[in-house]
Amino acid sequence: MQTGETSFWRNLYDEFLIGGELRVRRLGFGAMHLSPEDGDVVRRAVDLGVTLIDTAYLYGWGANEELLARTLWPYREELLVTTKVGVAQPGQLDGRPEVLRTQVDAALTRLRMERLDLLQLHRVDPEVPLADQVGTLKDLRDQGKIGHIGLSEVTVEQLVQARGIVEVASVQNRYNLLDPAHEAVLAACEAAGIAFLPWRPILDLVNAPKMKTFEAEFGATRAQIGLAWLLARSPVILPIPGTSKIAHLEENVAAGAIRLTEAQRERLA
């Protein structure tokens, strides 16, 4: 890390223990938008103190995972790179046990890892019993290929069912200031101490004219306001904004220093 660039990481407000043991800074980085030539962006994210990077097989059908390994391996001890499985091709979910096993093995190879410390089911395949999908990931965890298991785009009922089979360390659902549809899932995660990784945390805000009035009032960009609101919304929220531009990355990371007042949070609400 470069001296003077991480002073905004002030205290434990900025940190979370995923699964009770994976310590990360709460403001992470989503690698989805990176092209094979964007290694400098993710390298800069790590230099700025980001310790949670989210990728998936879906992002370039493995190319995104290969980019992270090519750029960041050997990984810093404090860095957590999490990936997702369960999508076979565009628009097609595939949660069959044999497919999940194959995708996990392939992710280990591409990421140059012996174990995926956090592996998330990208989507629940409605054609395969949830118990079979989660049970397969549990088996892979017991084999030592996975450390902790997460889910994505799940309901409270699915989360409860999954937790009856295996410990769930994280949930990745769409959620932001203008789209809080998964409040019930967030509440369930908060009650259980499960990390909640909102995807698309700021894109809706950047394109929302109504947010413009807050920029001058708060002295921050719409994206920064949205990220600060998420960090203040719940201690289990770990935003993972993504970008392919270093300037936008630095803007997003700087949001970690913003502490909204109660009055400001009420104004946004």
Side-chain angles (χ1 to χ4, degrees):
M1 300 179 189
Q2 300 181 15
T3 303
E5 291 188 329
T6 56
S7 60
F8 47 80
W9 303 113
R10 294 176 178 173
N11 51 46
L12 289 179
Y13 172 93
D14 301 296
E15 297 181 332
F16 187 84
L17 286 175
I18 299 178
E21 65 176 11
L22 302 174
R23 184 180 296 278
V24 296
R25 284 169 173 157
R26 289 180 57 209
L27 193 55
F29 178 78
M32 179 178 66
H33 299 291
L34 299 179
S35 71
E37 294 75 36
D38 289 331
D40 56 334
V41 179
V42 71
R43 192 180 295 113
R44 178 63 173 156
V46 174
D47 286 342
L48 286 170
V50 171
T51 57
L52 170 62
I53 296 178
D54 174 82
T55 183
Y57 170 58
L58 173 64
Y59 307 159
W61 308 111
N64 200 266
E65 294 169 330
E66 292 173 344
L67 166 66
L68 295 181
R70 187 168 62 250
T71 304
L72 301 176
W73 192 90
Y75 302 108
R76 297 186 185 186
E77 183 178 355
E78 70 273 18
L79 185 63
L80 172 64
V81 177
T82 175
T83 191
K84 299 182 285 294
V85 297
V87 179
Q89 55 184 301
Q92 181 177 328
L93 306 180
D94 199 334
R96 291 176 296 169
E98 62 270 25
V99 172
L100 296 180
R101 293 190 191 98
T102 297
Q103 290 189 356
V104 166
D105 286 340
L108 286 167
T109 298
R110 286 190 294 266
L111 287 167
R112 308 180 194 178
M113 294 179 176
E114 295 182 357
R115 183 180 84 158
L116 300 167
D117 286 333
L118 176 62
L119 184 282
Q120 301 179 100
L121 183 65
H122 207 146
R123 293 290 188 274
V124 174
D125 184 348
E127 302 300 321
V128 179
L130 177 60
D132 291 351
Q133 298 174 71
V134 176
T136 298
L137 299 184
K138 179 180 183 296
D139 290 343
L140 292 170
R141 186 203 63 180
D142 294 344
Q143 294 170 24
K145 295 183 177 182
I146 297 172
H148 293 274
I149 294 168
L151 306 171
S152 182
E153 282 302 291
V154 292
T155 65
V156 172
E157 292 74 16
Q158 289 170 328
L159 176 58
V160 170
Q161 183 182 350
R163 293 185 67 211
I165 301 168
V166 70
E167 297 88 352
V168 176
S170 67
V171 167
Q172 187 169 328
N173 280 20
R174 177 170 171 170
Y175 185 87
N176 60 56
L177 177 58
L178 299 180
D179 184 14
H182 289 291
E183 287 283 2
V185 179
L186 171 59
C189 289
E190 193 171 54
I194 296 171
F196 186 88
L197 284 62
W199 63 270
R200 197 168 180 171
I202 58 175
L203 183 58
D204 295 334
L205 305 181
V206 172
N207 297 321
K210 70 173 71 176
M211 291 297 297
K212 184 174 180 59
T213 59
F214 292 107
E215 290 183 304
E217 178 182 341
F218 289 17
T221 67
R222 304 177 202 191
Q224 289 174 327
I225 293 169
L227 291 171
W229 180 84
L230 284 169
L231 291 170
R233 174 65 185 81
S234 170
V236 305
I237 288 183
L238 283 63
I240 47 171
T243 180
S244 61
K245 305 295 184 183
I246 288 181
H248 292 163
L249 165 69
E250 293 174 344
E251 175 187 309
N252 291 341
V253 171
I258 299 173
R259 299 292 185 261
L260 298 179
T261 66
E262 182 64 30
Q264 288 174 326
R265 292 198 295 271
E266 290 178 359
R267 285 268 290 120
L268 289 168

